Amino acid sequence: MSQNYLKIENLTKKFDDYTVLDSISSSIEKGSIYGLIGTNGAGKSTLLNCISGIYFNDNGFIFTNGEKIEDNVNIKDDISYISDEPYFFNSFSMKDMAKYLNKVYPSFSMDKFYEISNLFPLDITKKINTFSKGMKRQAAIVFALSKNPKLLLCDESFDGLDPVIRQLVKRIIIKEVTERSMTVIVSSHNLAELENFCDVIGIIHQNKIIIEKKIDDIKENIHKIQLAFKPMIDVSEIKDVDIVKYTTRSSVMEIVARGKLDDIIPKIEKLNPILIDPIDISLEDIFIYEMEVTGYDASKVLI
C-alpha cells in the first residue's frame, strides 16, 4: 500500500503584498518522483524553499511522515536540496567540500561520495570555482545524494547538463528511489524532460497547482486515434465516446478521446471505419488537452 511521505496543507507564501503561493495543498507518496512544472516565476523555487525550510510559511503546514518540517532539525537532516544556484566555498575542492559536509551532516557518507563522484567526469581534487556551470551542477548532485536523503528536492537541476550526464543523473536517482524508497520532487519548465522519469506531474500556475495527475492514470485514460471513413461521417455520429478534440481532412478523422481504449474502439467499430489506428500521444499534448478543458491557455503555462 502506498504511503504519503510529504503532505502540504493550504500553504501560502507572500513577499510583502505579493502572494507567490496561494493555499497550495498536495500529498506525495513515499518512494515516488514528483515533477513540478511551471514557467519561470510560477512559484516552483518558492515551494521547494518552503519544503526545505529555507522560507517560513505565512500560512499552512508541511509534514513529512506526519511531523511538521518547520523548525524540526531532525527532519531537515533527511532533506537534500539542489538549488538552481548551488553554493560552494570558493577555495574548496569537491573533496574538501565533502569532508566539511561529513562533519556537518550525520547522514553524509564519504564512501557514497567517492562511489557517486566516480560516475561523473569530475576531478574531485580541483577547486570547484574553476568548474563550468554544468560541472557545478554535477558536483551539487553528488553532494546531495551522498547525504542519503529521504527527500531530494531538485530545482531545475537538469539545466546545463549534456544529454549523457542528464540520463546518468536520472539513472542514479531512480536507483536511489528503488533501493531506499527516496522521495523526489524535481522542478522544471520542460514537461518533455520529465515524461519518462516522474510518477506524478503537478503544474503550478498563477500561485496555485492547477493540475496534479499520476502519469500512468492519465496515459491510460486519454488517447489519440486516427480514423478513416468512406464516406466521411460527422463526429456527432460517434456515440458514447468522450471526445476532447477532433480534426477532419478528406476521409481521415483524428480524435482525442477520454476513457479506456478497450471501451472506445468497439463503439467506433460499429460505424464501420476503414481504418482505426491508435497513435502515440505525448505527455505534453495530454496536459494541453487537460488545461483546455479546465479553461487554461496552455501556451501561457507550458513553454
Side-chain angles (χ1 to χ4, degrees):
M1 181 180 292
S2 63
Q3 174 187 353
N4 288 332
Y5 176 73
L6 184 72
K7 189 173 180 62
I8 302 168
E9 292 184 354
N10 299 315
L11 177 66
T12 296
K13 179 61 185 175
K14 298 180 179 181
F15 293 104
D16 297 325
D17 294 329
Y18 179 65
T19 301
V20 183
L21 303 174
D22 187 7
S23 299
I24 283 180
S25 295
S26 181
S27 294
I28 298 175
E29 293 180 2
K30 182 178 181 180
S32 66
I33 302 176
Y34 184 104
L36 184 65
I37 301 294
T39 54
N40 293 330
K44 303 187 300 297
S45 297
T46 300
L47 179 56
L48 295 183
N49 279 315
C50 288
I51 294 170
S52 67
I54 294 173
Y55 291 163
F56 290 106
N57 315 332
D58 291 304
N59 193 36
F61 303 97
I62 305 173
F63 303 89
T64 60
N65 284 335
E67 294 187 60
K68 288 183 186 178
I69 288 180
E70 194 172 16
D71 292 330
N72 193 323
V73 175
N74 293 330
I75 288 179
K76 288 181 180 179
D77 190 48
D78 293 335
I79 301 172
S80 281
Y81 180 26
I82 307 170
S83 69
D84 188 30
E85 297 183 0
Y87 173 80
F88 308 104
F89 297 131
N90 278 335
S91 62
F92 276 28
S93 67
M94 281 187 66
K95 191 173 181 180
D96 295 332
M97 196 75 198
K99 288 178 179 178
Y100 169 79
L101 294 171
N102 189 47
K103 292 179 180 178
V104 173
Y105 295 105
S107 59
F108 194 91
S109 166
M110 289 299 295
D111 288 342
K112 191 155 193 175
F113 165 74
Y114 289 122
E115 175 191 339
I116 297 177
S117 61
N118 283 336
L119 300 174
F120 291 86
L122 298 170
D123 184 344
I124 65 172
T125 64
K126 288 185 66 175
K127 290 184 178 181
I128 300 174
N129 63 6
T130 67
F131 286 5
S132 67
K133 182 179 179 180
M135 293 168 69
K136 287 178 180 177
R137 284 192 183 278
Q138 293 173 52
I141 291 164
V142 172
F143 294 134
L145 291 171
S146 299
K147 193 165 168 269
N148 289 300
K150 293 180 181 178
L151 175 62
L152 178 67
L153 307 175
C154 305
D155 190 3
E156 305 281 359
S157 300
F158 299 145
D159 277 13
L161 302 181
D162 68 52
V164 173
I165 296 297
R166 205 173 291 171
Q167 292 306 312
L168 171 62
V169 172
K170 289 181 180 180
R171 286 199 303 272
I172 295 171
I173 290 175
I174 289 170
K175 182 173 182 285
E176 293 289 307
V177 169
T178 303
E179 293 181 354
R180 300 195 298 106
S181 294
M182 180 176 72
T183 305
V184 182
I185 303 177
V186 53
S187 80
S188 177
H189 56 271
N190 186 345
L191 187 54
E193 175 76 75
L194 303 182
E195 179 163 0
N196 298 312
F197 181 56
C198 296
D199 303 298
V200 179
I201 293 289
I203 295 181
I204 188 167
H205 180 61
Q206 294 179 341
N207 322 116
K208 297 179 180 292
I209 294 178
I210 59 171
I211 295 177
E212 188 176 66
K213 300 270 187 177
K214 288 186 177 181
I215 290 179
D216 287 345
D217 289 347
I218 60 174
K219 283 190 171 181
E220 287 178 4
N221 285 286
I222 191 163
H223 306 277
K224 184 183 287 187
I225 309 167
Q226 193 173 69
L227 310 170
F229 295 93
K230 198 170 184 179
M232 173 56 78
I233 67 168
D234 188 84
V235 70
S236 62
E237 296 180 53
I238 304 176
K239 304 293 186 183
D240 301 320
V241 175
D242 184 7
I243 297 175
V244 177
K245 195 170 187 177
Y246 74 94
T247 58
T248 57
R249 186 180 67 255
S250 187
S251 60
V252 176
M253 178 185 295
E254 189 173 276
I255 66 169
V256 176
R258 295 180 189 278
K260 301 291 185 183
L261 192 61
D262 290 344
D263 294 332
I264 295 170
I265 295 298
K267 294 172 182 176
I268 297 172
E269 286 176 337
K270 292 178 182 178
L271 300 170
N272 299 314
I274 58 177
L275 172 72
I276 302 180
D277 184 18
I279 303 170
D280 287 339
I281 183 170
S282 73
L283 190 62
E284 185 166 343
D285 282 342
I286 291 173
F287 274 98
I288 287 172
Y289 301 137
E290 292 276 355
M291 282 182 283
E292 286 176 349
V293 168
T294 55
Y296 285 97
D297 183 351
S299 65
K300 295 179 180 179
V301 181
L302 300 175
I303 57 172

